[in-house]
Amino acid sequence: MPELRLGPFAVQTERTRIAAYRSATRVRGTGVPVAFPICWFGRSEIRTAIEDTCRGRLPLHEGQSFDYARPLELEAEYHLSVLLAEEADPPRLVLKGECQTLAGELCLRMETLLRLVSPAVELPA
């Protein structure tokens, strides 16, 4: 599969969504949690692209990273661009996101690795 570019999408750091994220993950502190932007990969356009790429295989979380150039601010809007790439060996889906301010300043690069496993494969317990 060739790389698929998605976005840019308008994304926000709303207090209510951050509070829900903190509650679900039990992350303490103030401001925008480091891993909060992973929620943006749940947008319907991104989820649909992931599901299409999986072609019936199960996406298993293998890893993620966040590389901040500057912190995200509460109640702010940003632009998120995503690159989706499938790797063959091992079968994996790589999502690379780049978050910028509305003025185009880089805030964050993030990456998520999803191992693609056939549902017929028995996974170790």
Side-chain angles (χ1 to χ4, degrees), residues 33-86:
V34 171
F36 171 78
I38 201 69
C39 298
W40 297 333
F41 282 166
R43 292 180 62 99
S44 62
E45 304 95 324
I46 298 171
R47 269 196 354 253
T48 298
I50 292 169
E51 290 168 3
D52 290 348
T53 304
C54 288
R55 296 184 303 279
R57 295 171 292 179
L58 301 173
L60 302 178
H61 182 266
E62 190 172 58
Q64 65 189 25
S65 63
F66 300 88
D67 182 18
Y68 278 87
R70 60 187 288 170
L72 300 178
E73 298 176 15
L74 285 171
E75 295 296 332
E77 185 169 325
Y78 298 94
H79 288 148
L80 174 69
S81 298
V82 178
L83 177 68
L84 222 65
E86 185 176 353

Side-chain angles (χ1 to χ4, degrees), residues 5-23:
R5 294 187 183 280
L6 304 171
F9 303 105
V11 293
Q12 297 81 30
T13 52
E14 308 104 326
R15 287 182 195 280
T16 55
R17 288 195 67 202
I18 290 171
Y21 175 87
R22 285 189 186 286
S23 176

Side-chain angles (χ1 to χ4, degrees), residues 18-19 23 27 41 48 56 74 82 88-89 91 96 100 103 108 111 114 120:
I18 290 171
S23 176
V27 170
F41 282 166
T48 298
L74 285 171
V82 178
D89 190 20
K96 293 182 179 182
Q100 298 180 345
L108 163 69
E111 180 177 274
L114 301 172

